[in-house]
Amino acid sequence: MIKRSGLLMVFLLSIFIEAASAQRASSILGKWYNTEKDAIIEIFEEGGRYFGKVVWLKEPMVNGKPVLDSNNADRSKRNKPILGLKLLEDFEFKSGIWENGTIYDPRNGKTYSSTIKQKSERILEVRGFIGVSLIGRTVEWTRAE
């Protein structure tokens, strides 16, 4: 009887820990201003991974035409509008950090390895790097109201 109740307790505890982790993983979901506050990126979950796309731009048009991804290293993508563009791809949630993803910077057309940490309910720390995480740049994104 004691063994059964012990197993039940371990089972219930594992379910609780998994639920708490899943809830925490979802805290990144929603809309976030980039550092310059000239864009809003919506982070969403798809198949257990996290992605982000541009859903608002302070200046979405230039001369009556949409702002395009004109700096993209892939010439075939240079005619795509920035609005709707995926900037964050394939992040996994592990031990309180979203990692193993990439971030695309339309300002220079480059894609970087990336990690995201939630500094507070309203602030994300987004780090882009090449190769080793020590060599890179960290910016803060603020939750959009």
Side-chain angles (χ1 to χ4, degrees):
M1 187 70 133
I2 293 174
K3 286 185 179 180
R4 274 181 106 180
S5 65
L7 286 174
L8 180 61
M9 187 65 104
V10 169
F11 177 72
L12 292 174
L13 184 59
S14 69
I15 288 174
F16 173 76
I17 289 170
E18 189 175 316
S21 177
Q23 185 178 19
R24 191 152 174 241
S26 67
S27 65
I28 195 174
L29 300 176
K31 295 179 180 177
W32 300 87
Y33 281 107
N34 66 344
T35 304
E36 299 80 11
K37 296 204 181 348
D38 60 2
I40 294 178
I41 295 84
E42 181 173 17
I43 299 177
F44 57 96
E45 185 267 334
E46 195 173 276
R49 296 191 182 257
Y50 297 84
F51 300 83
K53 67 179 177 180
V54 179
V55 294
W56 175 85
L57 287 172
K58 187 175 186 177
E59 296 181 24
M61 308 288 269
V62 173
N63 298 325
K65 295 181 181 178
V67 174
L68 301 178
D69 188 16
S70 57
N71 295 319
N72 198 308
D74 182 344
R75 290 185 182 274
S76 69
K77 296 180 179 178
R78 291 184 180 175
N79 289 326
K80 289 189 175 187
I82 298 284
L83 197 58
L85 189 68
K86 265 192 192 176
L87 300 182
L88 304 176
E89 300 242 9
D90 281 331
F91 284 83
E92 302 170 294
F93 183 72
K94 293 182 181 176
S95 304
I97 300 172
W98 293 265
E99 59 185 17
N100 299 324
T102 59
I103 185 167
Y104 173 70
D105 183 351
R107 286 180 167 80
N108 65 19
K110 294 182 182 176
T111 300
Y112 302 94
S113 296
S114 183
T115 59
I116 302 172
K117 295 179 185 176
Q118 192 160 11
K119 200 170 173 182
S120 72
E121 188 178 309
R122 299 191 38 76
I123 297 175
L124 293 180
E125 227 176 51
V126 181
R127 181 159 185 76
F129 56 93
I130 297 173
V132 188
S133 178
L134 295 173
I135 304 168
R137 180 174 167 226
T138 303
V139 295
E140 288 186 354
W141 288 4
T142 308
R143 189 172 291 278
E145 302 292 330

